[in-house]
Amino acid sequence: MPELPEVEMICRMLRERILNQKVISVNVLLPRIIREGDLNTIVGSVFTRVYRQGKFICFDLDNELKMYAHLRMTGTFLWQDDLPKKPSHVRVEIEFEKGTLLYRDIRTLGGIWIAENGKPPWKKMGVDPFDDEFTSERLSEMFDKRKIAVKQALLDQSLIAGLGNIYSSEALFKANIHPGRTAGSLDINEITRLRDAIKEILTAAIEAKGTTFRDFQLSDGKEGGFQDFLSVYRKEGLLCSRCGTQIERIVQAQRSTYFCPKCQG
Ligand SMILES: [Zn+2]
């Protein structure tokens, strides 16, 4: 599932390919991917800015229209000219002056929104880990008196935007915090370690993605070689790189969490 680093990489690719280009035509191969509005209305518009808000990709146009996309499990954007041949599962094509952008989605859970009033499709967006507002103090306020497990709090997109199952497990390992602790029980030192760990993990993931990203985009969304970069995620039964204890898996709110019982005890 694409998390913040994957979405950030896609934004970077999109900026290189589509900024300041006019849309020539669109082709919607699977209508339900367009969740709101009419994609035909962007024909003739120029894309002026592409940026990320949590796991949403936001597109500014040179008029009052805005486009948003969420990749969910297996969505991705691909530039057709970068590929040896056209991939399977393409759901939407957007033709620009200099090439064609493809939206590919195997499980079709992702979507594209065209907002005539610019209004975003999300209700409440949490703080982005790369925003200046993402401080220990802010995290401390979010967690204050909360009875839910810290792992679940990290997945709550209305608190922190962009973290998913992989990087929340990894950040808790890096910060030596047990995933089952209640969010409200963390002291300020633990919160500071967690905040720093989240930023470090995401930054390293974005750098590591630079080399393996194409494979990820063309796969079914599984991580592939990127596994080597991870310390605990899907490493159940393997030995902790720090202390040699077996990594364990627990299920929290129907999601698997991986952790070292000793380092995070
Ligand atoms: Zn350990």
Side-chain angles (χ1 to χ4, degrees), residues 173 240-245 260 262-263:
F173 172 74
C240 171
S241 56
R242 228 187 267 154
C243 76
T245 304
C260 170
K262 189 168 179 213
C263 292

Side-chain angles (χ1 to χ4, degrees), residues 68-88:
Y68 299 93
H70 200 297
L71 309 172
R72 299 288 174 206
M73 295 295 284
T74 53
T76 194
F77 282 102
L78 296 161
W79 189 246
Q80 189 168 282
D81 289 357
D82 291 345
L83 309 171
K85 65 181 176 64
K86 195 166 168 179
S88 60

Side-chain angles (χ1 to χ4, degrees), residues 50-69:
V50 180
Y51 57 101
R52 190 182 53 70
Q53 287 263 277
K55 288 190 267 186
F56 276 92
I57 303 172
C58 313
F59 304 79
D60 286 358
L61 279 64
D62 64 342
N63 47 38
E64 68 283 4
L65 292 173
K66 280 189 83 149
M67 187 169 106
Y68 299 93

Side-chain angles (χ1 to χ4, degrees), residues 108-164:
T108 68
L109 299 170
I112 293 172
W113 289 254
I114 304 298
E116 284 174 23
N117 52 10
K119 199 171 175 285
W122 59 82
K123 288 191 185 73
K124 183 170 181 270
M125 179 76 75
V127 180
D128 193 284
F130 288 105
D131 199 294
D132 290 342
E133 278 179 55
F134 187 63
T135 59
S136 313
E137 293 72 24
R138 187 70 189 271
L139 203 54
S140 177
E141 280 166 28
M142 285 176 203
F143 286 180
D144 189 37
K145 297 189 180 68
R146 288 217 164 219
K147 298 276 191 279
I148 56 167
V150 58
K151 164 74 186 322
Q152 278 164 266
L154 293 180
L155 292 181
D156 185 340
Q157 300 297 301
S158 70
L159 297 176
I160 302 166
L163 269 188

